[in-house]
Amino acid sequence: MSHRESSFIRLPPFAARLYDSLTKTRAIQSLYGEVARELAGNIKFASVLDVGAGPGRLLVELHRQAPSSRLF
């Protein structure tokens, strides 16, 4: 295991709460909107699987922009 991997594994429990809080900020929400618009323009009727990428806020935004897609 590399030093970087071991540092990640040892994150304190508050790290998930901090990440959750940060993803609620206007700046990150704006970024999610941009990413979702880009994806929505390319997927129309696609299936999208979001695997462990955080609290799911990007997936929610993608659903708003591409409601006919299947999101998991």
Side-chain angles (χ1 to χ4, degrees):
M1 181 178 313
S2 73
H3 173 68
R4 186 174 184 183
E5 290 170 327
S6 65
S7 296
F8 180 76
I9 292 169
R10 294 182 194 161
L11 284 175
F14 75 87
R17 292 188 304 274
L18 176 61
Y19 181 77
D20 182 59
S21 295
L22 289 172
T23 62
K24 293 177 185 175
T25 63
R26 189 175 305 148
I28 300 298
Q29 288 296 314
S30 176
L31 179 62
Y32 285 165
E34 289 179 37
V35 171
R37 275 189 296 282
E38 181 71 25
L39 290 171
N42 292 307
I43 64 172
K44 303 298 180 206
F45 299 102
S47 295
V48 177
L49 176 63
D50 181 6
V51 181
R57 288 187 177 74
L58 177 57
L59 201 62
V60 169
E61 183 61 30
L62 183 56
H63 177 64
R64 284 188 196 124
Q65 306 233 2
S68 60
S69 295
R70 295 177 40 180
L71 308 174
F72 303 93

